[in-house]
């Protein structure tokens, strides 16, 4: 009899505890979390990730920032700070093999593809803490990861991709951008980045929803485009702001303020990381993976 009463007591107690945890996390986020607050995330395959996040009081929208190859989440800090001050949850994550997210082996081809799990972990974190709408902002390989994860996650409201490539580290963006469908997409590229321009033109042509290509007259890729163009940060944040309310009402194949780009000859594409190694023509089919140079990281 005593054993039966104990089992009944456990049956009633465990579900109540399990249900209380998410509610408590959401209440904490709605009350406000200072930016930047260090956290550790765990990807689906068990890899532990170093990240920072913050949530203004009653924030309901969130932005996850994804760095490029060889970088860390800290490179997004100035823009993340602006987004936080605008009232949004923000999260920056060190992708596996970068910054505080160490691995016990050198990065290989499969590790780059596995980084989609790192993005999913960051998205899951902000959603569990009350974010109703989530946008992704990425640079270089982070841009390709943002497009890929958003293509599979229909609840991602918008993507801003800085220096995305048709193929970066084996992450193919052309097919992903087609699966991304009708949600807002902002592509940002330097006017001097031949590979980035060629890729942006192909991605823009493949995109089916509200899309915009922003070219900036500064050298560099990814987050190196920030801080030198006064309007770029506002363009990125403005795109996300519009997406919070318009993502479900954007007509197919809408071209939003398409910035002019100079033509890029097929043979002029260069490696997105080294900036020197020729990659050959950009074609309509899958591009070959770029050279894996360990000195790049």
């Amino acid at each position: 009899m005593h054993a039966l009463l104990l089992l009944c007591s456990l049956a009633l107690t465990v579900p109540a505890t399990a249900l209380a945890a998410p509610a408590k996390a959401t209440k904490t986020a709605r009350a406000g979390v200072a930016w930047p607050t260090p956290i550790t995330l765990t990807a689906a395959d068990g890899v532990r990730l170093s990240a920072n996040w913050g949530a203004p009081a009653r924030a309901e929208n969130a932005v996850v920032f994804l760095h490029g190859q060889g970088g860390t989440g800290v490179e997004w800090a100035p823009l993340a700070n602006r987004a936080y001050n605008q009232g949004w949850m923000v999260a920056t994550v060190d992708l596996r093999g970068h910054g505080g997210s160490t691995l016990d082996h050198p990065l290989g081809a499969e590790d780059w593809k596995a980084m989609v799990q790192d993005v999913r972990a960051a998205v899951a974190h902000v959603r569990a803490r009350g974010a109703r709408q989530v946008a992704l902002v990425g640079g270089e390989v982070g841009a390709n990861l943002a497009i890929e994860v958003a293509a599979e996650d229909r609840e991602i409201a918008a993507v801003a991709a800085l220096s995305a490539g048709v193929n970066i580290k084996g992450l193919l963006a052309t097919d992903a951008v087609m699966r991304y469908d009708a949600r807002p997409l902002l592509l940002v590229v330097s006017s001097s980045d031949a590979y980035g321009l060629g890729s942006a033109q192909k991605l823009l042509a493949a995109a089916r929803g509200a899309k915009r290509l922003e070219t900036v007259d500064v050298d560099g890729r990814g987050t190196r485009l920030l801080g030198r163009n006064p309007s770029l940060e506002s363009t990125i944040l403005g795109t996300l702001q519009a997406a919070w309310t318009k993502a479900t009402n954007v007509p197919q194949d809408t071209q939003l303020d398409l910035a002019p780009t100079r033509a890029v000859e097929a043979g002029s594409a260069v490696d997105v990381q080294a900036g020197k190694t020729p990659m050959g023509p950009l074609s309509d089919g899958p591009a070959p993976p770029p050279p894996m140079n360990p000195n790049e990281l």
Side-chain angles (χ1 to χ4, degrees):
M1 183 64 177
H2 290 294
L4 180 59
L5 289 174
L6 179 59
L7 287 173
C8 291
S9 175
L10 288 173
L12 291 172
T13 302
V14 173
T17 302
L19 288 172
K24 182 178 179 181
T26 300
K27 182 178 179 180
T28 300
R30 295 286 172 82
V33 176
W35 160 261
T37 294
I39 56 172
T40 299
L41 304 174
T42 303
D45 60 358
V47 173
R48 292 176 67 79
L49 308 165
S50 177
N52 283 290
W53 89 294
R58 296 178 297 280
E60 295 187 343
N61 301 321
V63 189
V64 174
F65 294 91
L66 308 166
H67 64 77
Q69 51 269 40
T72 67
V74 73
E75 64 194 48
W76 288 109
L79 187 57
N81 188 62
R82 280 192 61 178
Y84 177 84
N85 289 334
Q86 196 157 310
W88 302 340
M89 285 190 205
V90 295
T92 63
V93 58
D94 291 353
L95 298 168
R96 63 186 62 200
H98 294 75
S101 303
T102 57
L103 294 174
D104 59 3
H105 59 271
L107 280 167
E110 293 307 310
D111 293 311
W112 293 102
K113 295 178 181 179
M115 288 178 188
V116 295
Q117 299 178 64
D118 306 348
V119 184
R120 292 177 194 141
V123 171
H125 174 82
V126 296
R127 282 179 174 159
R129 281 143 185 85
R132 296 183 180 180
Q133 296 190 94
V134 181
L136 303 179
V137 178
E140 301 176 273
V141 74
N144 280 36
L145 287 166
I147 295 170
E148 176 62 38
V149 171
E152 67 186 33
D153 185 343
R154 306 290 301 170
E155 298 303 313
I156 297 296
V159 168
L162 284 64
S163 307
V166 168
N167 181 343
I168 302 179
K169 301 298 187 184
L171 292 160
L172 306 178
T174 307
D175 175 65
V177 83
M178 293 178 67
R179 290 184 285 111
Y180 178 67
D181 205 16
R183 288 160 286 165
L185 173 67
L186 172 66
L187 299 171
V188 181
V189 65
S190 167
S191 59
S192 62
D193 179 2
Y195 178 76
L197 278 170
S199 293
Q201 291 165 354
K202 287 187 172 291
L203 296 177
L204 196 74
R208 299 176 177 178
K211 50 197 176 182
R212 174 175 177 174
L213 173 59
E214 185 80 10
T215 57
V216 292
D217 293 327
V218 297
D219 293 329
R221 298 187 177 98
T223 55
R224 292 182 292 280
L225 300 177
L226 300 172
R228 294 181 289 169
N229 184 306
S231 65
L232 180 56
E233 290 86 347
S234 296
T235 297
I236 295 171
L237 297 181
T239 298
L240 304 186
Q241 178 65 65
W244 301 139
T245 54
K246 297 180 181 179
T248 58
N249 299 311
V250 176
Q252 296 276 346
D253 296 314
T254 303
Q255 203 114 323
L256 300 181
D257 299 325
L258 178 61
T261 60
R262 60 186 176 84
V264 179
E265 295 182 1
S268 65
V270 295
D271 181 88
V272 71
Q273 173 68 4
K276 297 178 182 179
T277 307
M279 291 183 64
L282 293 170
S283 66
D284 290 330
M292 296 295 293
N293 181 356
N295 295 324
E296 292 177 2
L297 299 179

